[in-house]
Amino acid sequence: MGVEKQLLKAGHGPKPVRGQSVTVHCTGFGKDGDLSKKFWSTKDPGQQPFTFKIGLGSVIKGWDEGVMDMHVGEVAQLQCTPDYAYGAGGFPAWGIRPNSALVFEIEVLSLQ
């Protein structure tokens, strides 16, 4: 159980530290229980990169732990077990069923 990272493109900047603001591009997969179906992307029309404070529980556990191990400029795929994603509640508004594993492609753009 947890998060598994697959490196897609190496980054050369620093890694974030707990409490730091991290800005990412992200595409999430796992709609309707299908890991090939996208449910959200910051690259979709009208969307923007997403910024969050890392390590403080403001995002799913898979992001807090997986992105903490990424460098600025890095692109990685994070596969999250349900307990590191939206758990028993799922996220019905995005078509994420309860107890769904999810995959995210994340690019770390910057740290503040």
Side-chain angles (χ1 to χ4, degrees):
M1 299 293 236
V3 60
E4 184 178 312
K5 181 178 125 178
Q6 178 183 355
L7 181 66
L8 302 178
K9 179 186 153 216
H12 300 288
K15 287 184 177 182
V17 296
R18 181 180 156 88
Q20 194 167 26
S21 289
V22 181
T23 300
V24 300
H25 263 311
C26 174
T27 302
F29 299 91
K31 185 174 184 171
D32 299 324
D34 183 342
L35 290 178
S36 69
K37 283 180 142 179
K38 178 179 77 170
F39 61 82
W40 171 73
S41 179
T42 58
K43 296 181 178 183
D44 285 343
Q47 296 293 315
Q48 297 179 22
F50 181 74
T51 301
F52 65 100
K53 289 196 180 291
I54 197 160
L56 302 179
S58 63
V59 292
I60 62 171
K61 193 172 184 178
W63 278 37
D64 262 346
E65 291 190 14
V67 176
M68 187 76 79
D69 190 42
M70 294 177 68
H71 296 268
V72 171
E74 183 174 322
V75 180
Q77 187 178 74
L78 301 180
Q79 183 155 353
C80 303
T81 57
D83 57 322
Y84 274 61
Y86 293 101
F91 198 122
W94 283 356
I96 300 170
R97 295 178 180 166
N99 298 311
S100 290
L102 299 176
V103 172
F104 296 92
E105 184 175 302
I106 296 179
E107 177 183 5
V108 178
L109 301 173
S110 65
L111 306 174
Q112 294 87 37

